[in-house]
Amino acid sequence: MKKTTIHDIARELNITFSTVAKALNDHPRIAAATKEAVREMAIKLNYQQNKLASSLRSGRTGIVGVLVPTLDVSFFSSVVHGIETVMNENGYNILLYQSKEIYEDEIRGVDTFLQTRVEGIISSVALSTKNYDHFIDLKKRKIPLLMFDRTVDEIGVPYVRIDDYGGGFMATEHLIKQGCKRIVHISTDQQVEIFKERLRGYKEALLKYGLPIDESLIFYGNLSIELGKNCIKKLVDEKVDFDGVFAFEDYTGLGALKELKDLKINVPEQVKVIAFANEAFGAHITPSMSTVDQQTVKMGEEAARLFLKLIKENKYYENAPEQIILDPILIQRESSQ
Amino acid sequence: MKKTTIHDIARELNITFSTVAKALNDHPRIAAATKEAVREMAIKLNYQQNKLASSLRSGRTGIVGVLVPTLDVSFFSSVVHGIETVMNENGYNILLYQSKEIYEDEIRGVDTFLQTRVEGIISSVALSTKNYDHFIDLKKRKIPLLMFDRTVDEIGVPYVRIDDYGGGFMATEHLIKQGCKRIVHISTDQQVEIFKERLRGYKEALLKYGLPIDESLIFYGNLSIELGKNCIKKLVDEKVDFDGVFAFEDYTGLGALKELKDLKINVPEQVKVIAFANEAFGAHITPSMSTVDQQTVKMGEEAARLFLKLIKENKYYENAPEQIILDPILIQRESSQ
DNA sequence: ATGAAAGCGCTAACAC
DNA sequence: GTGTTAGCGCTTTCAT
């Protein structure tokens, strides 16, 4: 069963294939009756336009490559959800590639997109990537590239992320306003910009409210529930005085919360806790955990919208790269009130 | 800056483009030296093969369409993660489409895939879909279709899902073994096979252990936290006696848990609760919620592997549709112990 | 071992 | 309002 082409439709109707093509594309100079007949026959013959041929000829594929570390982290899948939704509304389709946080796979993804002739790429960079030539190369080839969340200034392309500094500041300020004087910050030793920014926000908030920056209250480890637990254990073991905890992300905050509960330290009465990310579980645990929301779906939607706006103007790289910084949202729950 | 083609490489090397094409495709009858020269020149000129042209000519795109209700639910994003991982390892790329649970969008997705000439489609059907002609049509066109999780027997294609009946049985049996005699089941009125199967498992378990099937203990509503709350409210309002709750999915189970807590009914002492899906929050709430794990990433990987196996044999629809039924895993937590 | 030539299914400029 | 024609950049068969 060969697939139906415009030639098949043309033969059935005794017209030429080029008339069929124009009719299907709603060309103005084709008679209404012809269009009608062509459309009917197209349906009758189960015609489906061959986008490969159309794209090859026209130079437009209507495909955008989305390159993310993994879909198995709700942050990324939510962003991709937002991207696909907006792109789809605007007639674009998404080719998906996961880098698995591996530099070489990221390069492979970019190459695949190039070969597929995507009209642009939306990406968040892998943690292991230190060299950005594959992204800079896209810019040289004039392929629109837009980054989100894990952005890299050196690449010099438009991007969308949240204000991690502001989020860190906001979280810390919230604890201070709730009366905390000795606030612990649990961070990470991974060299990722966004986590450093949260730390910077923490420090600035302390400064602004005249509280000392006490390095013995700042911890660095690997993102995990265990990290949160261990930090609390250590603080209590060493009889360090503290009345607030700002964890750099939710799982670490959860660990802190669990350990405090195990040690019968009341939250929020004795120690107030806030984290970062607004993962699904935070609203449902006891006590519910305060956090900072990253507007993940909106980040994807905004990324798609900015991308569409810029390619429509047809001068993607001609102006200084536009950047959207989304506001983090303070989510106040039981753990900090 | 026009893109480099095999003609450009041919011109530089004073050979014909057809030799270049063969060299790049590692054709056996091309001299090693020629291949080497062609490859060098390809790199020098930043050549990237145009897959549109290649696909148009060869009839192979190397693209598989993945059609899911949404990526904003961890179940689906995990499965897609598994699918992409295995497909990528085997040289295929993923075109992504979200149906948003809307029948019309599902049809649009299938049409898009058809036009893009995907080599097959992996899909989970939208809740609002009642007519499956768009899927059956794929079969008629001999486009490989593989379904996962929300499968429909009427379509008659290979699929991967978990044993929802077994999972429902397992969950109910667990409550019975924990001493429950009057077990509520909260289900849905949506006509989805997997949910009916969980209900069937519930009933069979009751039968096996000599417990009566009491229709006043079975509820039907729309998947939501509210559904769980309302059912508990109603049971208590009407003074119905019950000591166990098996919710058909985690959010409904969470609602039940919350309402029981609000009504000061102790879990698990007075009422034991188990749900289904193993969403991330279940392990971290208080009490932690027992549930049934669906092996989401594995489901995606198995779906991809089965798909690849079947298309390799080149007789996708010639045998009775192969089916893989994964085993559900009972996750015992505080809410049912 | 390389080249010549046809054609995948469409778009788009140009004729009539 | 419809038809003719020339490709888009490849794969693939056949010839040399």
Side-chain angles (χ1 to χ4, degrees), chain B residues 291-304:
Chain B
T291 189
V292 177
D293 184 79
Q294 308 192 75
Q295 306 209 62
T296 50
V297 175
K298 187 173 181 194
M299 190 180 294
E301 293 168 346
E302 290 294 321

Side-chain angles (χ1 to χ4, degrees), chain B residues 27-93:
Chain B
H27 188 105
R29 296 201 296 207
I30 295 292
T34 310
K35 284 183 186 173
E36 189 52 36
V38 167
R39 272 178 211 141
E40 267 174 29
M41 187 56 70
I43 290 167
K44 188 173 161 204
L45 300 180
N46 287 314
Y47 174 74
Q48 290 282 5
Q49 185 196 45
N50 186 331
K51 281 200 180 178
L52 296 170
S54 152
S55 299
L56 176 61
R57 184 59 237 251
S58 70
R60 291 199 59 254
T61 55
I63 297 178
V64 172
V66 172
L67 176 54
V68 292
T70 175
L71 275 192
D72 207 20
V73 164
S74 70
F75 174 80
F76 290 112
S77 55
S78 292
V79 176
V80 174
H81 166 76
I83 294 174
E84 200 278 339
T85 302
V86 172
M87 283 303 185
N88 188 15
E89 284 166 3
N90 288 275
Y92 285 85
N93 295 118

Side-chain angles (χ1 to χ4, degrees), chain B residues 15-16 18-19 22 29 31 34 57:
Chain B
I15 52 179
T16 61
S18 110
T19 303
K22 282 174 197 145
R29 296 201 296 207
T34 310
R57 184 59 237 251

Side-chain angles (χ1 to χ4, degrees), chain A residues 26-248:
Chain A
D26 209 18
H27 189 106
R29 295 197 299 205
I30 296 291
T34 310
K35 285 182 185 173
E36 188 52 35
V38 167
R39 272 177 211 144
E40 268 174 27
M41 188 56 70
I43 290 167
K44 190 175 160 203
L45 300 180
N46 287 314
Y47 173 75
Q48 289 282 5
Q49 185 197 45
N50 186 331
K51 281 200 181 178
L52 296 170
S54 157
S55 298
L56 175 61
R57 182 60 238 246
S58 69
R60 292 200 58 255
T61 55
I63 296 178
V64 172
V66 172
L67 176 54
V68 291
T70 176
L71 274 191
D72 206 21
V73 164
S74 71
F75 174 80
F76 289 113
S77 56
S78 291
V79 175
V80 175
H81 166 76
I83 293 174
E84 201 276 341
T85 303
V86 170
M87 282 304 185
N88 188 14
E89 284 167 4
N90 288 274
Y92 285 85
N93 294 119
I94 298 304
L95 199 65
L96 180 72
Y97 207 101
Q98 299 182 109
S99 69
K100 299 158 225 134
E101 304 284 15
I102 300 169
Y103 169 64
E104 288 76 14
D105 280 298
E106 195 170 81
I107 292 180
R108 239 166 261 139
V110 169
D111 276 348
T112 301
F113 290 160
L114 247 21
Q115 295 173 354
T116 312
R117 300 297 193 257
V118 297
E119 294 185 27
I121 295 174
I122 298 180
S123 178
S124 204
V125 58
L127 286 178
S128 63
T129 299
K130 304 279 170 274
N131 179 308
Y132 306 109
D133 288 348
H134 51 304
F135 287 128
I136 293 169
D137 180 57
L138 287 172
K139 203 176 163 182
K140 285 192 194 137
R141 291 174 187 262
K142 306 224 190 296
I143 310 288
L145 169 66
L146 189 143
M147 317 229 41
F148 69 88
D149 191 52
R150 299 191 195 156
T151 61
V152 180
D153 283 334
E154 164 186 352
I155 303 175
V157 296
Y159 65 69
V160 180
R161 58 172 180 80
I162 69 153
D163 178 7
D164 283 279
Y165 164 78
F169 188 96
M170 184 183 277
T172 311
E173 182 177 49
H174 169 65
L175 291 181
I176 296 171
K177 287 192 174 165
Q178 297 293 312
C180 297
K181 299 270 182 246
R182 290 186 52 77
I183 301 170
V184 171
H185 181 47
I186 311 178
S187 185
T188 177
D189 36 29
Q190 281 166 324
Q191 294 302 305
V192 178
E193 199 62 34
I194 56 179
F195 299 143
K196 289 189 207 161
E197 285 291 289
R198 292 175 198 177
L199 171 61
R200 194 165 69 81
Y202 159 81
K203 289 184 176 172
E204 280 299 319
L206 294 181
L207 276 177
K208 177 173 171 197
Y209 287 90
L211 294 174
I213 292 172
D214 182 346
E215 289 292 341
S216 71
L217 293 181
I218 306 179
F219 293 80
Y220 303 89
N222 276 317
L223 193 161
S224 64
I225 294 179
E226 285 312 309
L227 173 61
K229 286 189 176 182
N230 292 340
C231 291
I232 298 299
K233 219 174 289 173
K234 194 177 249 177
L235 284 163
V236 172
D237 278 356
E238 299 177 358
K239 301 196 194 314
V240 178
D241 186 37
F242 69 102
D243 55 8
V245 175
F246 165 36
F248 81 115

Side-chain angles (χ1 to χ4, degrees), chain B residues 125-138:
Chain B
V125 58
L127 287 176
S128 61
T129 299
K130 304 279 170 273
N131 180 309
Y132 307 109
D133 287 348
H134 51 302
F135 287 127
I136 293 168
D137 180 55
L138 287 172

Side-chain angles (χ1 to χ4, degrees), chain A residues 15-19 22 29 31 34 57:
Chain A
I15 53 181
T16 62
F17 75 96
S18 109
T19 304
K22 283 174 197 144
R29 295 197 299 205
T34 310
R57 182 60 238 246

Side-chain angles (χ1 to χ4, degrees), chain A residues 272-287:
Chain A
K272 300 191 200 311
V273 175
I274 189 166
F276 208 111
N278 199 17
E279 289 282 335
F281 65 81
H284 309 308
I285 60 179
T286 310

